Amino acid sequence: MQYDLVVIGGGPAGLAAAIEAKENGIDKILLIERDRELGGILQQCIHNGFGLHIFKQQLTGPEYAERFINILKEKNIEYITNTMVLDITDKKEVYILNEKLGYKKINAKAVILAMGCRERTRGAISIPGFRPSGIFTAGTAQRFLNIEGYMVGKKVVILGSGDIGLIMARRLTLEGAKVIAVVEIMPYSTGLTRNIVQCLKDFNIPLLFEHTVIDIKGKSRVEGVVVAKVDENKNPIKGTEIYYECDTLLLSVGLIPENELSKKAGVIIDKRTSGPFVTESMETNIEGIFACGNVVHVHDLVDYVTLEAKRAGKAAAKYIKGTLRRDGVKIITINGKGIRYVVPQIININNSKEVTLFFRVDNIYKDCKLEVRLNEKVIKSIKKDKVTPGEMETINIDFSKLDIKQDDKLFVEVKE
Amino acid sequence: MYDVLIIGAGIIGTSIARELSKYNLKVCVLEKDNDVANGTTKANSAIIHAGYDAKNGTLKARLNVLGNQMFDKLCRDLDVPFKRIGSLVLAFDDNDLNTLHKLYDNGIKNGVKDLYILSKEEVINIEPNVNKTVKAALYAKTAGIIGPFEMAIALAENAYENGVEFRLNSEVIDIKKEDVYVVYTKNEKFKARYVVNCAGLYADKINDMVSKNRFKIIPRRGEYYLLDKSVKLVNHIIFQCPTKLGKGVLITPTVHGNTLIGPNAEDLEDKEAINTTREGLRFVLDTAKKSVEDIPIGMSITNFAGLRARTELDDFIIKEAEDSKGFINVAGIESPGLSAAPAIALYVLDILKSSGLEFVRKNNFKNKRKGIIKFSDLSFEEKNELIKKDSRYGRIICRCEEITEGEIVDAIRRPLGATTLDGVKRRVRAGMGRCQGGFCSPRVMEILSRELKVKMEDIIKDHEGSYILTGPTKKEVD
């Protein structure tokens, strides 16, 4: 089997990337999805709030996905569901598995990685205690409720204030469960402010900052959790323990880009994002292998995933047609003071005179400036009332009037 | 009426059951839990020790060394993962060096083959990640790693195939000695000429039902971290010098390619206290860092605890009760119990023989057990052939461990098959990977529900009462 472009993952990133490549003149495209239907995690996000930036409308997750799925079908882009990619090589050989085709090798001229992310688990954060049933990651619980149609518990404590956890606090409450508290180890939430208001405050669900779950009780099913306040080193403070009787513990403690497959192809992962190092064209270190969406870095708004995916789709089309530039000066972006990471990490201005930088701050800052420097020179400075790690920031940089030399450095910093 | 009734379906009970199934005997295994291998067998270091550690002259020493040599054939016959990767005991100071030589001498006395003292350079050469302050190490080539619950499950399946009966969910609540033994569970009673007590942590309770010669099982908890497969720390089983509380904290690859770190040792009263603790895990990590300084604990995928069933004696208790002929205790089987298990089974057969049980070999004994096909291990061609025969092998259910629907269905349908989420996990590793079942548990539950013809809400994680779902959602969302 031979394709020009293989897109791995049929969520918002994969869908937008495939459509964009098609619109840029690529015909032989195959999009591969492991689940039963296209749309990815959007299909279980039945709340609204999607599409505000792109469609200026409040859509539910499935509605947002449907718009792209319809375009994909209208454009006759080939896709297969229930299909797992088991291996990719740096020669862009993609090994797929499904019930109908069996185990097959596909050769592609270009590959777009759009596998999304997975949730951090109890094991990853080493919560001690028993190992009863009733401990779910928020996304798994969301799937049980919204796709499978089952409730996961009656009295719930949620650890972590990531967006899925906040959304699930409201969802479970509407389903008749009692959400006792949301517990967050950091002094701030990692979720969107609007979700804290709409999902917790509107339902009088307490949010405890600088607290964490230190023990899980119950030998068969969860019977309760012990929560304690933590000190500045995140160690629990003796004497602050609270026992919550509950039958369910939900974890919303972070998302990890899913790059096991990328690594098989030799793609190098940036420790700051847990995703591949990418260029302005969303190309990885392996020529012709692109990446976009949550596999690159975790986004909080799907709209930005779509924008990033379009970049990847367009660039992959250029690559296939042989017009993606490799010559010219390259600069690297650097996360300076107060910034956790910047994407893209490498910029070749021959491919794009205007580049949007995606980045996250590492703490809450009030009345600050977000500053972009080219080496020593400040080229952009944006005033902010408040920035938080829970909300991704973007800055557009126009390179056309700048004097750029090879290996120049572009710093992004928080100025207090 | 049974010839032999075995109480407990852990590694010891299943080893004895399988050994007895070679003979024309009517044998039954009673297990209180809903699955075999669900106690100490499922939570331990998964090591087949070489046998230099146990004091010369003890049953532990003798049966460990004997047992160790039996695993190659046993694991081949039963299709169980086993790798002889060798172990190292690291020495960091003169005291430790002294200990190494004592262990070496003890090992030679015990009959352990292929024991060597390695120099610092030799150690670092084969284990580049160990702490560079290491001075020397005792290398035991015959030590290995195994899937302990896979082993017990395989033994049980093979015993079953050879005619042994298994009664799960059958907790023994009383035993009466009449002309034969009458063993009571909640709903049934079983008569048997011989009773073998392999009840692990509860072996004292079972003994008390029959014998006046009491012993006490002291649960000694050990806590562990399990790291992601992408972490490669060591190539061998890495021990530190033993202390009074045991062989100490080890770092080892598992047969499936993860890294296991632990255990600590803490004596408890509660026989069900398989919870991990902040202090325990902290101790494990801090101690392990003496062996390997740089441990990426953020790559931990789970932590767990197991309880060793120890007694105050320094040795296994494997004998017929003096005041009750035909009642055989196999108790206090702490480490190296797993390593000794096959030899313990033979030893128990000898006891039964000398107590008058007649052994006649079956001529139709099937010594091979066909394991569950491991799809991810197959070649390109083999994969396609298998999918042609059964398309369910073309559907990946567990992404992390690449487990197909075909494998899961096999795990459920085979004799003594899985009935719970964890039962599936122990048999085929679905849910054992880095996402810890986040993606696959709804799918596995669906398959369990379909295959066992039970409702989704009735699927449990592990023990009775470990329900996962509480019922359907409201039909319409307001």
Side-chain angles (χ1 to χ4, degrees), chain A residues 144-146 148-152 171 175, chain B residues 471-477:
Chain A
F144 272 125
L145 263 82
N146 296 348
E148 322 286 337
Y150 293 98
M151 271 297 273
V152 295
R171 183 75 180 92
E175 279 291 340
Chain B
T473 49
K474 292 176 186 171
K475 284 294 163 248
E476 278 177 34
V477 182

Side-chain angles (χ1 to χ4, degrees), chain A residues 34 36 97-99 103 118 123-124 126 128-129 131 133 140 143 148-149 151 174-175 219-221 260, chain B residues 225 270 272 275-276 300-301 380 384 387 391 394 399 434 438 443 461 464 466-468 470-474:
Chain A
R34 56 190 164 195
R36 291 183 280 217
L97 178 75
N98 72 24
E99 288 182 277
Y103 190 43
R118 64 165 178 271
S126 297
R131 293 191 296 151
S133 66
T140 302
R143 176 157 192 126
E148 322 286 337
M151 271 297 273
L174 291 174
E175 279 291 340
K219 288 170 183 174
S220 299
R221 173 83 187 194
E260 278 65 34
Chain B
Y225 278 108
D270 185 354
E272 301 286 329
N275 55 315
T276 55
S300 152
I301 60 170
F380 191 91
N384 278 311
I387 298 166
S391 68
R399 304 168 184 181
R434 50 179 68 93
R443 291 285 77 74
K461 176 180 179 280
E464 195 189 333
S466 61
Y467 63 92
I468 297 159
T470 55
T473 49
K474 292 176 186 171

Side-chain angles (χ1 to χ4, degrees), chain A residues 138 156 158 163-175 177-179 181-182 195 199-200 203 205 250:
Chain A
V156 186
I158 300 178
D163 286 312
I164 319 171
L166 300 175
I167 296 287
M168 285 310 291
R170 175 175 65 186
R171 183 75 180 92
L172 286 162
T173 306
L174 291 174
E175 279 291 340
K178 168 84 184 150
V179 177
V182 176
N195 283 336
C199 301
L200 300 188
F203 294 89
I205 298 167
L250 238 58

Side-chain angles (χ1 to χ4, degrees), chain B residues 140-248:
Chain B
K141 203 177 167 186
T142 57
I145 50 178
I146 194 166
F149 37 89
E150 285 106 319
M151 182 82 212
I153 289 167
L155 287 161
E157 283 181 13
N158 188 239
Y160 179 93
E161 208 185 341
N162 285 300
V164 174
E165 292 175 36
F166 281 80
R167 299 296 181 94
L168 304 174
N169 300 304
S170 299
E171 182 177 0
V172 172
I173 51 174
D174 199 11
I175 303 173
K176 292 219 160 65
K177 173 98 198 253
E178 294 166 12
D179 49 333
V180 294
Y181 288 98
V182 187
V183 177
Y184 294 84
T185 63
K186 202 174 159 200
N187 300 317
E188 284 178 285
K189 64 177 183 181
F190 301 83
K191 288 186 175 175
R193 292 164 63 203
Y194 291 85
V195 172
V196 183
N197 171 17
C198 315
L201 291 158
Y202 293 90
D204 50 356
K205 276 181 73 178
I206 299 294
N207 176 65
D208 288 356
M209 293 175 190
V210 179
S211 172
K212 294 211 161 48
N213 304 324
R214 305 260 155 123
F215 55 83
K216 187 171 184 262
I217 299 288
I218 306 152
R220 176 174 281 183
R221 180 166 60 197
E223 301 175 42
Y224 296 86
Y225 278 108
L226 189 70
L227 306 190
D228 190 281
K229 283 181 175 176
S230 63
V231 178
K232 301 286 175 214
L233 287 184
V234 293
N235 307 310
H236 303 80
I237 308 153
I238 306 294
F239 295 101
Q240 295 170 7
C241 280
T243 67
K244 260 184 265 168
L245 280 174
K247 289 187 264 293

Side-chain angles (χ1 to χ4, degrees), chain A residues 110-295:
Chain A
V111 172
I112 296 180
L113 307 171
M115 293 89 74
C117 58
R118 64 165 178 271
E119 298 177 278
R120 287 180 83 203
T121 63
R122 172 193 181 175
I125 55 171
S126 297
I127 309 175
F130 284 93
R131 293 191 296 151
S133 66
I135 305 167
F136 301 89
T137 56
T140 302
Q142 191 179 40
R143 176 157 192 126
F144 272 125
L145 263 82
N146 296 348
I147 305 271
E148 322 286 337
Y150 293 98
M151 271 297 273
V152 295
K154 294 187 170 122
K155 283 178 88 176
V156 186
V157 169
I158 300 178
L159 175 62
S161 60
D163 286 312
I164 319 171
L166 300 175
I167 296 287
M168 285 310 291
R170 175 175 65 186
R171 183 75 180 92
L172 286 162
T173 306
L174 291 174
E175 279 291 340
K178 168 84 184 150
V179 177
I180 302 168
V182 176
V183 178
E184 170 61 60
I185 195 166
M186 302 303 283
Y188 52 82
S189 169
T190 50
L192 296 170
T193 311
R194 74 169 193 225
N195 283 336
I196 292 173
V197 175
Q198 293 168 10
C199 301
L200 300 188
K201 290 204 174 134
D202 290 357
F203 294 89
N204 294 317
I205 298 167
L207 170 57
L208 280 71
F209 288 118
E210 296 181 288
H211 278 73
T212 194
V213 172
I214 60 163
D215 201 3
I216 298 170
K217 307 281 189 193
K219 288 170 183 174
S220 299
R221 173 83 187 194
V222 173
E223 289 167 14
V225 297
V226 181
V227 167
K229 194 167 168 42
V230 296
D231 62 21
E232 57 275 15
N233 298 317
K234 310 276 171 284
N235 290 316
I237 302 168
K238 277 225 164 67
T240 64
E241 297 87 356
I242 319 165
Y243 180 71
Y244 289 117
E245 198 188 294
C246 59
D247 62 12
T248 304
L249 173 66
L250 238 58
L251 303 174
S252 180
V253 292
L255 300 167
I256 308 161
E258 216 168 24
N259 279 294
E260 278 65 34
L261 209 48
S262 322
K263 288 181 204 161
K264 287 187 183 177
V267 169
I268 299 172
I269 304 301
D270 184 343
K271 277 190 178 156
R272 296 166 294 189
T273 54
S274 302
F277 281 94
V278 287
T279 66
E280 77 299 324
S281 304
M282 303 309 291
E283 191 177 24
T284 67
N285 61 300
I286 305 289
E287 198 184 306
I289 298 187
F290 299 79
C292 55
N294 283 350
V295 83

